[in-house]
Amino acid sequence: MKLNKLTGIAVLALFATVIGCQSDDTNGVNPNGDADKVILNSDINTLNQRISYSNSGVLDLVNGEGKMAAAAANDFPLALVAEVNPPSYNGRTLKATHVDINGVYAYVSYNTEGDTYLGAIDVINISKPNNPQLVVQAIFPNSDINAISYNDGFLYIAGASGVNANSGISPAFVAKMPLQNGLLTNNYAATSILGNVTMDIFANSSKYYAVSGNNGELVRYNKSNNTFEASIPVSDLRALGSTNNKIVVLSGTQGVKVYDQNSFALQTSFATSQDVAEAKRTIDFSDSRILVSEGYNGLGVYNLSNGTKTQSIAVPTNVAGASTQDIVTNAVSVNNNKAFVANGAAGLYIYNTSGSLSLLGSLGLNASTPNGSANYVKSSGDYIFVANGNGGLKIIKMMAAPVSSIDCTSFPAYPGDQWLNVNSGQNLQYQGSAAVQGVNVNANLTFCGSMSVSQGLNINSGGVFYMKGSLAQGQANNPYQSLNINSNAKLKVEGSVVIYGNLVLNSGATLEFVGTGSSITIHGTVTKGNNVTITGTYTDTNNKLN
């Protein structure tokens, strides 16, 4: 029977007693034959059948009760680029546990609920923002993979092995896998550490660190020769982080402990809300603060130096369609002055981190997925990755405009509401970022920056919409949210356009691409009337305009 991820049983407690905390004795290379426990698949055609665009499209931020976050437009445009269905093996479906990113590759780890030890790692190429590709998959038939960390051409792996559990060795392990041009190999060295499961792992320029659960420890290894250096026993470890030459760990019962990353001397220790649920949690940092996911107690914000709790954000309430017991703060990730919080069945909540955390809005992400739950979130660069229970991995893109090539400094930011209407005789010019529900252009509109339009975009007769930057519009498989260029109307593009629904070019419509380097990606259909004009130099990503 598979061991609970965090709690121990008497047999393993006995082995832990025999082994003690002498990690230099227990932390040896796994003798169970690592190479034959990795099944690689690099058949791109087969792998990419797991990528779905059926729910792709512009996302509307809502408030905590599922209503529009505000009547006014916001300045944080988002789009769901794709969903990655989890891998399966021998009839069992895995669940995503962790994400790390390096350059054009996103690494995603998986484990299996229940008695079976079974894990996987995916590598997703995100070099084409609107067309992510699964390039290689590794299946670990005897091991859960709970966390991964990329560093300097290697992938550091945290998990639990069923083979170890059956042999009496601690199931928890760490592993170091050399990558080949960023891609997975089956050549890796696994090392057992105390505990039932390794919960988290992190690598820097010279060391790597890991934490294991109940009866577990914080361990440090030398990267260059993969040798054990030091360990500290801490009960109920859930998460690991690093900031300013400090190693920070989270215990479900003892709170936060801060160690010097080289000497392992304890620098600070303070209590957080006790988390009795036996589940993985995450931490992240914002300036001098540490953000802690605290399960049913929500999100805690603490001063990292002295442990003072500066803010407490309760779990959401009154969320339509979500049971109270399923709303729990599982994970937090900080990026781009935003905190992204995975709140279980309530979905993903997004906070501004300037000053006290303030709610920008939330994304349910569960409407099409029964029993969907935001279990993990990782944001890096322009991306947000959300492990969403039965809904698989969701890839969300924050729309960033190529502002370096745009000269619209005299234009104001868009101050209007969720529908941008340009009436006859108006000449409106805006810059910055805007997320709106709809756009109607009856005269002249210029927008410099990034804009998302979740519903319809209509350029009517005599209207001209000059988009300089990045535009995303519509949602997949929704014919009522098309981008319509009507007779004697024009869309001018200098940058990139992504249309998740359909493009309608009525008779006499003009689509003009300005300069070089522009692109258009159309996921739906294209309807052309008579005398349609398409001019300029552009890349048609999905070859829909021919």
Side-chain angles (χ1 to χ4, degrees):
M1 176 177 291
K2 182 176 180 179
L3 298 173
N4 185 288
K5 289 186 177 182
L6 295 179
T7 59
I9 63 173
V11 173
L12 280 180
L14 174 61
F15 279 109
T17 302
V18 173
I19 295 170
C21 295
Q22 298 174 8
S23 294
D24 51 344
D25 293 331
T26 64
N27 292 335
V29 174
N30 191 325
N32 298 306
D34 300 306
D36 61 2
K37 288 195 269 183
V38 182
I39 302 171
L40 294 179
N41 180 1
S42 57
D43 183 344
I44 294 177
N45 292 330
T46 300
L47 290 175
N48 282 290
Q49 293 177 12
R50 289 172 43 208
I51 294 184
S52 171
Y53 298 94
S54 60
N55 295 313
S56 297
V58 171
L59 297 170
D60 282 324
L61 283 174
V62 299
N63 65 14
E65 298 181 0
K67 301 175 183 178
M68 290 304 300
N74 68 70
D75 61 355
F76 195 51
L78 300 168
L80 176 63
V81 174
E83 296 169 299
V84 183
N85 294 316
S88 60
Y89 182 75
N90 286 345
R92 293 185 176 271
T93 300
L94 288 72
K95 290 193 176 184
T97 56
H98 203 90
V99 178
D100 202 10
I101 301 166
N102 177 62
V104 301
Y105 292 127
Y107 302 90
V108 186
S109 63
Y110 299 84
N111 70 11
T112 306
E113 292 183 342
D115 293 343
T116 301
Y117 286 89
L118 173 63
I121 299 174
D122 282 335
V123 181
I124 303 173
N125 188 323
I126 54 175
S127 61
K128 297 180 179 178
N130 301 305
N131 190 28
Q133 296 288 304
L134 256 171
V135 291
V136 66
Q137 167 193 281
I139 295 289
F140 297 75
N142 297 312
S143 299
D144 283 343
I145 308 299
N146 299 313
I148 47 180
S149 177
Y150 173 89
N151 189 275
D152 195 25
F154 290 85
L155 199 63
Y156 296 85
I157 302 169
S161 172
V163 174
N164 282 358
N166 295 331
S167 68
I169 301 173
S170 295
F173 74 85
V174 294
K176 178 182 177 182
M177 175 185 285
L179 303 178
Q180 186 173 21
N181 298 320
L183 301 182
L184 304 175
T185 65
N186 61 5
N187 176 25
Y188 80 107
T191 304
S192 295
I193 65 175
L194 291 181
N196 293 340
V197 57
T198 310
M199 302 294 290
D200 209 352
I201 196 164
F202 164 77
N204 62 21
S205 59
S206 60
K207 315 289 183 183
Y208 69 94
Y209 306 81
V211 291
S212 51
N214 198 38
N215 296 323
E217 58 187 349
L218 164 67
V219 295
R220 187 180 75 220
Y221 283 79
N222 184 296
K223 270 180 53 181
S224 63
N225 54 20
N226 204 33
T227 56
F228 165 81
E229 288 189 345
S231 70
I232 301 173
V234 182
S235 67
D236 200 17
L237 285 167
R238 310 292 185 88
L240 170 69
S242 175
T243 181
N244 297 326
N245 298 317
K246 300 178 177 68
I247 295 298
V248 184
V249 301
L250 172 66
S251 162
T253 55
Q254 298 183 28
V256 169
K257 294 180 180 293
V258 182
Y259 300 93
D260 179 271
Q261 69 176 15
N262 294 314
S263 68
F264 258 22
L266 180 65
Q267 296 185 333
T268 308
S269 178
F270 54 89
T272 61
S273 299
Q274 287 206 0
D275 185 6
V276 297
E278 295 167 352
K280 180 178 176 177
R281 302 290 183 231
T282 71
I283 57 177
D284 211 340
F285 308 95
S286 175
D287 299 323
S288 60
R289 299 170 294 183
I290 179 172
L291 281 60
V292 180
S293 55
E294 298 182 335
Y296 288 108
N297 294 303
L299 182 73
V301 183
Y302 299 84
N303 183 302
L304 188 59
S305 298
N306 58 30
T308 302
K309 192 170 192 178
T310 60
Q311 195 171 359
S312 181
I313 300 175
V315 293
T317 57
N318 301 320
V319 179
S323 299
T324 301
Q325 70 256 26
D326 296 329
I327 300 177
V328 54
T329 300
N330 291 312
V332 59
S333 181
V334 177
N335 180 34
N336 193 32
N337 297 317
K338 303 288 189 298
F340 304 91
V341 182
N343 279 323
L348 181 71
Y349 280 58
I350 303 173
Y351 296 85
N352 286 310
T353 59
S354 299
S356 295
L357 270 65
S358 58
L359 181 64
L360 180 62
S362 65
L363 302 171
L365 301 178
N366 299 320
S368 62
T369 307
N371 302 316
S373 177
N375 296 331
Y376 176 81
V377 60
K378 171 71 174 183
S379 181
S380 179
D382 295 333
Y383 287 93
I384 310 164
F385 295 87
V386 183
N388 205 53
N390 294 337
L393 182 76
K394 298 183 185 293
I395 303 176
I396 299 170
K397 191 160 191 308
M398 298 177 281
M399 294 175 56
V403 294
S404 60
S405 63
I406 298 172
D407 183 14
C408 304
T409 53
S410 64
F411 297 171
Y414 173 59
D417 61 20
Q418 291 281 355
W419 282 84
L420 197 171
N421 292 303
V422 183
N423 297 319
S424 297
Q426 287 187 309
N427 181 22
L428 302 183
Q429 299 171 321
Y430 302 111
Q431 67 163 324
S433 299
V436 299
Q437 287 184 278
V439 176
N440 291 305
V441 180
N442 293 293
N444 294 290
L445 172 65
T446 301
F447 197 97
C448 297
S450 57
M451 173 186 284
S452 68
V453 184
S454 63
Q455 298 183 30
L457 194 163
N458 303 296
I459 309 172
N460 298 315
S461 180
V464 177
F465 180 13
Y466 190 176
M467 183 68 214
K468 302 178 71 175
S470 57
L471 170 68
Q473 185 271 331
Q475 296 171 348
N477 301 320
N478 192 329
Y480 302 105
Q481 297 178 356
S482 57
L483 193 159
N484 303 302
I485 307 176
N486 292 314
S487 177
N488 195 32
K490 179 185 290 187
L491 173 62
K492 297 176 65 175
V493 175
E494 186 177 350
S496 66
V497 172
V498 181
I499 302 170
Y500 289 99
N502 303 325
L503 173 63
V504 178
L505 298 163
N506 286 312
S507 297
T510 299
L511 176 58
E512 178 184 346
F513 294 91
V514 179
T516 60
S518 293
S519 66
I520 186 166
T521 303
I522 305 166
H523 289 279
T525 62
V526 175
T527 301
K528 291 182 184 178
N530 298 321
N531 301 316
V532 168
T533 301
I534 302 175
T535 63
T537 302
Y538 62 95
T539 299
D540 181 6
T541 306
N542 291 335
N543 298 315
K544 293 292 184 75
L545 292 178
N546 295 331

